Amino acid sequence: MSRDSNYDHHISIFSPQGRLYQIEYAFKAASQSSGLTAVALRGSNSCAFVTQKKVPDRLMDPSSISHIFQITPKIGCLATGMIADCKAQVQRMRYEAADFQYKYGYSIPVHVLAKRIADIAQVNTQSASMRPLATVSILIGVDDEKGPQVLKIDCAGHYLPFFGTASGSKEQEAVNFLEKKVKDMKDYDVDETVRTAIMCLGSVLGSDFRGSEIEVAMVEGTDGTFTVLKEEEIDLHLNAIADADA
Amino acid sequence: MGDSAYSFSLTTFSRTGKLLQIEYALNAVANGRTSLGICAKDGVVIATDKKLSSTLVDLDQVSKIQKINEGSGFVYSGLGPDYRVLVRKARKSSQSYHLQYREHKPVSQLVKSTASVMQEYTQSGGVRPFGVSLLVAGVDADKSPRLYQVDPSGAYFAWKATAVGKNYINAKNFLEKRYQDDMELEDAIHTALLTLREGFEGEMTKDNIEVGVVSQADGKFRALTPDQIQDYLDETS
């Protein structure tokens, strides 16, 4: 049965060309299913990420809908894709971070957590019993030795550190926007980091938004506490962007 | 490895007697970025290109060449996540060897155990073969420098010089012409860089390639820093 060439579309075995279709399909699910785009970047001493907040129904409680999760006081995660898979991966991240703290007595560095979660994601690409998760996660944190870090973990178990990155339906356009600014990014202060992330999202979505329509979060400084911005704070940034353009 | 739900092997013989999953895994390797290695009489060099999808990636923190124990290092072509699994298992097995014997695991032993793991994944239930070919560089217990290639099937061979990944045929032809049995490590490094440059798209710089070296003199594997790579690049041009 696994010899049938169609089986390679169902579970994580190689196709004749050496591709893994299940991973490719998981990527499609992760970028198309939620319809959201996420943007993340790092500055000189801070990182920020931003995504849309789409509430599908007016009867829903907007505070319960979020793709931004705190993993530890110093590490935050923006997960795009199928929300149930996102939450499953976040739960695992929280467990791994807490377990590390318990075993070693200090808080897990972002890149160590990213590697751990990526290694766990890889198992699903090699073992037939579980499908890959349809989630792309972006982790932000400030490392004691390396400074602000943005790491992206994808369905295939790849993880990479970035100066700036994006995920979701308009990923490519957002990345094009960020590539033009990559040389300046390392000097950005906190406000510029947050505002560039918001501007990037605005530019690829082609529309302006209000503070209630996006979620923004950041880590800053050497004590690096992860904070989700409140609507008023987002509005301050949006106004500053509008004033700068005017 | 593998769940009870999938207690049958996914890699099974075809009617013509082939193990197709392994062949397909080799195709996955041939789609990967080129890596090569040369075994000189006094050391071994391995090298790979480090090009990534975007200028937004923080390349300084990414490395394909990994030290496994004091005397051995790996590089690969193929699927990155699968490679990380093998690196982790190799490091653990080196530590376990050291715990028992109080000696560094020789590269030939390391290759045997890593190859054995790769073979298990072609036969065990519910898992697919690794989509990587490894190049392993090390100085063995008898002080001889060794370069091994380990394939997804678990087969391994010692090589004088070899290449894997995209364009490996051209790279191997190039190496065959230039290899000499009495080559020294410095020559081998230059030849490795020249071979990499042959198939390289765009300009090859110290930041978009990686080089790892182990010399017979001290038997320690190390990855060259970008500045050291620049010195060699200056010498070859």
Side-chain angles (χ1 to χ4, degrees):
Chain A
M1 73 190 91
S2 0
R3 297 171 220 154
D4 293 345
S5 56
N6 287 330
Y7 215 49
D8 56 16
H9 290 261
H10 296 298
I11 54 170
S12 251
I13 58 175
F14 286 112
S15 76
Q17 297 79 32
R19 291 160 65 177
L20 290 165
Y21 282 114
Q22 272 295 294
I23 300 182
E24 297 182 20
Y25 300 159
F27 270 104
K28 280 209 179 87
S31 56
Q32 310 301 347
S33 64
S34 62
L36 297 184
T37 303
V39 176
L41 63 126
R42 77 176 205 223
S44 57
N45 69 338
S46 63
C47 312
F49 50 37
V50 59
T51 187
Q52 302 146 270
K53 193 176 177 98
K54 277 193 196 164
V55 183
D57 193 313
R58 274 184 309 150
L59 289 173
M60 283 188 184
D61 178 358
S63 63
S64 69
I65 297 174
S66 175
H67 284 256
I68 291 183
F69 305 92
Q70 179 177 306
I71 309 299
T72 70
K74 297 191 177 195
I75 298 177
C77 174
L78 207 186
T80 51
M82 287 167 56
I83 188 66
D85 285 9
C86 296
K87 289 189 173 169
Q89 194 166 69
V90 163
Q91 270 301 87
R92 190 63 193 267
M93 285 181 192
R94 287 173 172 160
Y95 167 78
E96 293 294 330
D99 191 59
F100 186 99
Q101 170 84 48
Y102 172 70
K103 276 196 190 132
Y104 304 114
Y106 70 101
S107 49
I108 191 168
V110 207
H111 62 97
V112 173
L113 179 61
K115 182 170 197 282
R116 181 85 185 111
I117 297 302
D119 287 345
I120 291 165
Q122 187 278 342
V123 175
N124 296 338
T125 72
Q126 196 169 14
S127 172
S129 48
M130 300 255 286
R131 62 166 173 81
L133 290 175
T135 306
V136 174
S137 296
I138 300 178
L139 286 176
I140 59 171
V142 181
D143 185 84
D144 292 336
E145 292 168 9
K146 297 179 197 241
Q149 297 269 285
V150 171
L151 294 120
K152 185 162 78 171
I153 306 158
D154 63 25
C155 320
H158 288 120
Y159 80 105
L160 284 170
F162 284 90
F163 298 115
T165 189
S167 66
S169 42
K170 299 255 194 262
E171 174 179 343
Q172 194 49 57
E173 293 97 325
V175 163
N176 292 342
F177 181 102
L178 292 172
E179 274 177 353
K180 296 193 188 103
K181 299 194 182 247
V182 66
K183 289 197 173 30
D184 302 324
M185 273 181 209
K186 55 179 164 11
D187 300 318
Y188 281 175
D189 64 20
V190 180
D191 286 335
E192 281 174 299
T193 311
V194 174
R195 285 171 199 171
T196 308
I198 299 176
M199 283 195 293
C200 176
L201 192 64
S203 147
V204 303
L205 295 175
S207 64
D208 297 322
F209 19 63
R210 298 200 297 260
S212 56
E213 293 168 358
I214 56 172
E215 314 184 73
V216 185
M218 50 169 247
V219 282
E220 126 180 55
T222 41
D223 70 342
T225 317
F226 175 74
T227 29
V228 180
L229 298 188
K230 301 195 196 37
E231 205 179 305
E232 307 85 61
E233 291 167 313
I234 301 177
D235 278 324
L236 279 173
H237 284 294
L238 288 170
N239 290 336
I241 293 170
D243 288 339
D245 283 340
Chain B
M1 130 189 59
D3 214 344
S4 56
Y6 275 89
S7 58
F8 53 87
S9 179
L10 299 177
T11 307
T12 53
F13 287 106
S14 71
R15 269 172 304 202
T16 54
K18 293 200 220 178
L19 288 167
L20 290 172
Q21 273 299 297
I22 297 178
E23 306 219 350
Y24 301 161
L26 284 163
N27 289 342
V29 171
N31 290 335
R33 307 219 71 93
T34 316
S35 297
L36 54 91
I38 304 180
C39 188
K41 72 174 200 289
D42 61 342
V44 190
V45 57
I46 49 179
T48 184
D49 88 34
K50 197 164 83 156
K51 289 215 316 226
L52 281 154
S53 46
S54 162
T55 47
L56 288 170
V57 179
D58 187 358
L59 278 180
D60 295 337
Q61 298 191 42
V62 176
S63 57
K64 287 167 68 175
I65 293 193
Q66 296 285 333
K67 181 162 111 166
I68 305 302
N69 63 28
E70 277 310 297
S72 317
F74 283 7
V75 76
Y76 76 104
S77 287
L79 302 176
D82 288 10
Y83 174 64
R84 289 202 315 267
V85 175
L86 292 170
V87 164
R88 163 188 291 253
K89 286 190 197 269
R91 284 175 170 157
K92 227 174 170 179
S93 105
S94 295
Q95 288 299 104
S96 163
Y97 184 97
H98 190 263
L99 188 64
Q100 197 168 7
Y101 299 110
R102 279 286 175 246
E103 283 179 5
H104 294 300
K105 189 167 188 174
V107 65
S108 51
Q109 300 282 322
L110 181 64
V111 164
K112 282 200 178 100
S113 51
T114 306
S116 171
V117 166
M118 290 169 83
Q119 187 283 336
E120 279 171 28
Y121 276 70
T122 68
Q123 205 177 7
S124 299
V127 289
R128 61 163 172 80
F130 285 96
V132 292
S133 275
L134 294 175
L135 292 181
V136 185
V139 171
D140 214 1
D142 61 357
K143 304 275 185 288
S144 56
R146 297 246 177 257
L147 171 70
Y148 290 94
Q149 177 178 335
V150 194
D151 282 337
S153 58
Y156 65 92
F157 299 97
W159 289 83
K160 297 178 185 178
T162 185
V164 287
K166 270 198 220 324
N167 216 29
Y168 75 98
I169 300 176
N170 290 340
K172 279 174 95 156
N173 286 338
F174 191 90
L175 286 169
E176 239 179 287
K177 290 196 199 99
R178 301 213 166 206
Y179 185 81
Q180 280 147 342
D181 283 321
D182 58 355
M183 218 172 189
E184 287 184 357
L185 185 55
E186 292 293 301
D187 299 326
I189 299 174
H190 289 132
T191 308
L193 291 173
L194 286 169
T195 317
L196 257 189
R197 190 175 271 154
E198 277 291 296
F200 209 85
E201 297 149 23
E203 204 202 322
M204 194 166 91
T205 70
K206 63 178 167 63
D207 295 313
N208 59 19
I209 59 169
E210 284 179 63
V211 181
V213 159
V214 56
S215 89
Q216 195 178 41
D218 61 6
K220 289 196 192 326
F221 179 86
R222 59 198 166 88
L224 297 185
T225 66
D227 290 329
Q228 288 168 323
I229 296 176
Q230 186 60 50
D231 291 337
Y232 284 107
L233 283 174
D234 293 335
E235 285 169 29
T236 54
S237 53

